[in-house]
Amino acid sequence: MAAPKIIVLGSLNGNLRPALTKLAVLHAKNAFALALLTGDVFLPDTPDDVLDALFDGTIAVPLPTYFTVGNHPLPERIVAKITADEEICPNLHFLGKRSVTKTSDGLRIASLGGVLDPHLVAGASKEQHLPFFTEDDAKSLKGANSADVLLTSTWPAGIWNGSSVALSDAHKGLVAAQHQSVADLCAALKPRYHLTASPGPFFYEREPFVQAADAKTTDDIVPITRFIAMAPYGNEAKAKAFYAFTLNKSDSAVPPGATASPLLAPRDKKRPRNDDGGDDGSYSRYGNQHGQGSHHGRRQKRSRQQQPPPGPDQCFFCLSNPNIATHMVCSIGDDAYITTAKGPLPTSTTFAEHGVGFPSHFIIIPLPHAPTLGSLSGGAAAAAAASSDSEAFKARKEMTRFRESLQSMLASKSNRKLGAVTWEISRDRNVHLIWQLVALPADLVERGLAEAAFRVEADNHKYPAFVSKEFASLEEEAAYGDFFRVWLWCESDGADRVKSKTLVMPLDRDMRFDLQFGRRAVAKLLGLEKRTVWQDCQQTEEEETKDTEAFREAFKEWDFTLE
């Protein structure tokens, strides 16, 4: 497929007739694949006769054309079509305020419209047509992992830093709508083009800049971003309001004059130093929880002089680690996130007969870097005084919300044939707390076989007996000490539609504990003993990406971070 030719327009501000007429002339000469409209396509008072002409085809859109909301509200008649999920007119596509769209040419366009609303301090905005966004809107888009084009109405903070392209102080002063969350989003997605509109009669094209390398970066592909701000159509200064380019995905050359990135690398603000979960050694990223001095499944002798635990930049569960497998990150909330598991226990075919065509093995991870929720709150005494604004309370609440959302998705997709088991190792010697969730046939939960499997496995290891227990508070959980916890859950057609049970095994502080215990018990229950060791089940990055994308699509209805 030939590299697509794209044309970009500045804010039309309701001047659709002359702008689209000129676009048609340019398209006839150049055969563009698509057009992108920046800024405000409409104004709230766009005349009815212009909208009538657009709706009846008198004003024609000559090629597939995409736009998002700008800095002003859309006309009510346009909003009515958007909220009714109706076509505005042929070839004119509203991307939504917060979205990721793949075009027929295979281009991946991420959009974040509007300006930041500082009065909304939590949660993603729900109305896709209103001209404001929240920091959670920007954060949720990071889960897209990559984009060819990023279309925003707000400039990224500090974009002109390190640039020799002149931008007058007067023009800088006009750029009131710039924000760090947009800069962080650009740094996370690493688009080839970041497009926006200028707030005044000027065009700004910064030198291309080299984005910071991460796990997605390969030796032969250097992530380069070009930032372009379009002047409004018909501006008196006659600054550039049309811009055309060819987007060649195979072009890996660093262009002359490229600079270092002016954007700060995205870092999680919530993590203190200290990580990597293990009894006391290296740990294996996903399926092995926290690795107890193990390396690729083989036990190593403990060093007399233990190394200090790695910090967030080396922790495989911290988003600030540049080597994190970002292609497996599925959904990022305010205080927790979920990923698919590396070396998953089930395969993509294990539950296919129940309508689930991806490995249903997930990791629920708190954003703060801590070995337990109790330690995050500062211990039992601090937990007792912890408010609903504390990191521990918020992390626990959102992790629980992710767990319940995953459970509901599995039950719905399988017509209640699947339930779920979630387990956690909570020990002060961990590096980073995680919960692992795996789908289970619902009848194994309902008939008590799943519970029996864990009790038998504990007895085989001569571990302490499980007790049925729900912690009433963070204070109680922090005071309990080390423990292994299991949540069993399913829905059924019976009188007690939801069946759930929580089992807790107290762990002596100095006892040796098999960190494969949870996976081993579930593997035996599912007849997947050969998949007990996650390293034996590793997939290619292409396979991991395919499974992750399949899950994201299935999870959309239950993904509260998209609300």
Side-chain angles (χ1 to χ4, degrees):
M1 183 183 293
K5 295 170 67 177
I6 300 170
I7 186 165
V8 187
L9 283 67
S11 290
L12 304 188
N13 293 319
N15 296 311
L16 276 75
R17 194 184 304 272
L20 292 177
T21 299
K22 182 172 182 178
L23 178 60
V25 173
L26 293 172
H27 177 52
K29 295 179 180 178
N30 297 277
F32 296 111
L34 58 92
L36 295 170
L37 309 182
T38 64
D40 288 296
V41 178
F42 305 93
L43 291 178
D45 58 355
T46 298
D48 280 337
D49 65 312
V50 172
L51 298 179
D52 290 337
L54 186 66
F55 295 159
D56 66 22
T58 306
I59 297 178
V61 182
L63 75 162
T65 301
Y66 300 85
F67 75 102
T68 184
V69 64
N71 297 339
H72 295 90
L74 295 168
E76 290 184 3
R77 294 175 67 187
I78 297 294
V79 172
K81 283 185 172 289
I82 291 171
T83 54
D85 201 23
E86 296 178 0
E87 181 184 61
I88 297 174
C89 69
N91 275 338
L92 186 59
H93 307 289
F94 179 60
L95 292 169
K97 174 170 56 185
R98 180 193 69 245
S99 71
V100 179
T101 301
K102 192 170 185 179
T103 71
S104 59
D105 299 283
L107 292 182
R108 194 170 165 87
I109 303 171
S111 64
L112 182 66
V115 296
L116 181 75
D117 187 336
H119 302 295
L120 291 180
V121 296
S125 55
K126 296 180 181 179
E127 298 82 359
Q128 285 286 311
H129 62 275
L130 294 180
F132 59 80
F133 68 90
T134 69
E135 291 197 22
D136 289 320
D137 287 320
K139 185 188 298 183
S140 68
L141 276 175
K142 292 181 184 180
N145 295 326
S146 66
D148 297 309
V149 175
L150 174 60
L151 183 63
T152 67
S153 300
T154 298
W155 286 41
I159 189 63
W160 50 71
N161 291 342
S163 172
S164 60
V165 178
L167 186 62
S168 69
D169 290 340
H171 287 162
K172 288 181 181 178
L174 291 174
V175 187
Q178 57 168 321
H179 201 267
Q180 186 59 45
S181 62
V182 178
D184 290 346
L185 178 61
C186 181
L189 298 184
K190 297 176 174 50
R192 289 179 178 268
Y193 284 85
H194 184 167
L195 306 173
T196 188
S198 287
F202 66 92
F203 170 84
Y204 180 70
E205 181 176 9
R206 192 199 187 283
E207 304 98 324
F209 57 89
V210 180
Q211 294 269 23
D214 62 12
K216 296 175 288 186
T217 307
T218 62
D219 292 338
D220 56 343
I221 299 180
V222 179
I224 302 290
T225 295
R226 291 169 168 82
F227 175 81
I228 298 168
M230 303 297 301
Y233 174 78
N235 66 88
E236 294 181 357
K238 296 186 177 180
K240 189 180 293 187
F242 288 80
Y243 182 97
F245 63 91
T246 299
L247 201 157
N248 187 353
K249 292 186 180 184
S250 63
D251 184 6
S252 59
V254 177
T259 74
S261 173
L263 311 174
L264 294 176
R267 301 183 66 85
D268 193 300
K269 302 173 184 176
K270 302 180 180 179
R271 302 185 187 88
R273 185 107 177 141
N274 159 280
D275 180 48
D276 202 319
D279 258 25
D280 51 328
S282 65
Y283 72 101
S284 303
R285 174 156 166 68
Y286 286 109
N288 190 25
Q289 174 94 9
H290 304 96
Q292 183 172 326
S294 64
H295 180 70
H296 297 290
R298 298 187 296 274
R299 189 178 299 278
Q300 294 178 321
K301 292 183 178 179
R302 295 191 178 190
S303 169
R304 286 183 177 274
Q305 198 166 10
Q306 294 181 6
Q307 296 296 316
D313 57 342
Q314 295 176 308
C315 171
F316 286 111
F317 300 114
C318 279
L319 293 179
S320 56
N321 180 353
N323 296 315
I324 191 173
T326 52
H327 65 285
M328 301 179 75
V329 176
C330 303
S331 181
I332 304 173
D334 296 321
D335 304 283
Y337 73 103
I338 54 174
T339 75
T340 50
K342 217 166 186 62
L345 179 55
T347 70
S348 58
T349 62
T350 302
F351 302 117
E353 64 179 305
H354 299 310
V356 177
F358 46 84
S360 299
H361 187 169
F362 310 101
I363 313 296
I364 305 172
I365 307 168
L367 288 178
H369 179 73
T372 67
L373 287 173
S375 66
L376 185 58
S377 65
S387 69
S388 59
D389 293 328
S390 70
E391 280 193 325
F393 183 90
K394 292 190 292 185
R396 182 197 200 201
K397 180 179 179 181
E398 191 160 74
M399 291 175 76
T400 300
R401 191 175 180 187
F402 270 128
R403 175 169 59 84
E404 292 172 346
S405 296
L406 289 168
Q407 291 170 171
S408 296
M409 178 208 68
L410 290 169
S412 177
K413 292 291 182 183
S414 67
N415 195 24
R416 297 199 291 276
K417 293 295 190 299
L418 292 177
V421 56
T422 306
W423 69 88
E424 164 198 9
I425 301 174
S426 180
R427 305 194 81 175
D428 286 337
R429 66 179 65 180
N430 286 349
V431 174
H432 197 132
L433 171 72
I434 66 171
W435 293 355
Q436 297 195 56
L437 184 149
V438 174
L440 278 183
D443 68 310
L444 295 181
V445 178
E446 193 168 13
R447 290 158 46 201
L449 298 178
E451 177 181 349
F454 277 93
R455 291 188 182 276
V456 168
E457 193 66 21
D459 189 58
N460 289 341
H461 283 72
K462 301 190 183 329
Y463 288 157
F466 278 105
V467 295
S468 180
K469 184 173 183 59
E470 288 277 6
F471 291 116
S473 65
L474 270 173
E475 177 187 8
E476 183 183 3
E477 185 169 326
Y480 197 79
D482 292 350
F483 59 85
F484 178 88
R485 173 162 48 182
V486 182
W487 291 272
L488 298 167
W489 182 93
C490 73
E491 282 188 358
S492 67
D493 296 319
D496 297 326
R497 183 175 175 182
V498 175
K499 182 178 179 65
S500 63
K501 191 164 191 177
T502 305
L503 303 173
V504 175
M505 177 199 296
L507 301 178
D508 185 79
R509 186 176 183 82
D510 298 320
M511 72 176 284
R512 295 177 66 86
F513 184 74
D514 177 14
L515 299 177
Q516 294 273 24
F517 175 81
R519 181 171 177 133
R520 193 182 309 280
V522 178
K524 291 180 179 179
L525 187 63
L526 294 175
L528 298 173
E529 291 95 329
K530 292 182 179 180
R531 298 182 63 83
T532 299
V533 179
W534 78 267
Q535 290 93 341
D536 296 337
C537 309
Q538 291 190 77
Q539 302 170 287
T540 64
E541 183 170 326
E542 182 180 359
E543 290 170 332
E544 291 171 340
T545 301
K546 180 181 177 181
D547 287 339
T548 302
E549 289 179 351
F551 163 69
R552 284 193 191 125
E553 183 64 30
F555 190 55
K556 279 182 179 178
E557 183 180 341
W558 293 269
D559 189 353
F560 55 85
T561 69
L562 301 179
E563 294 174 355

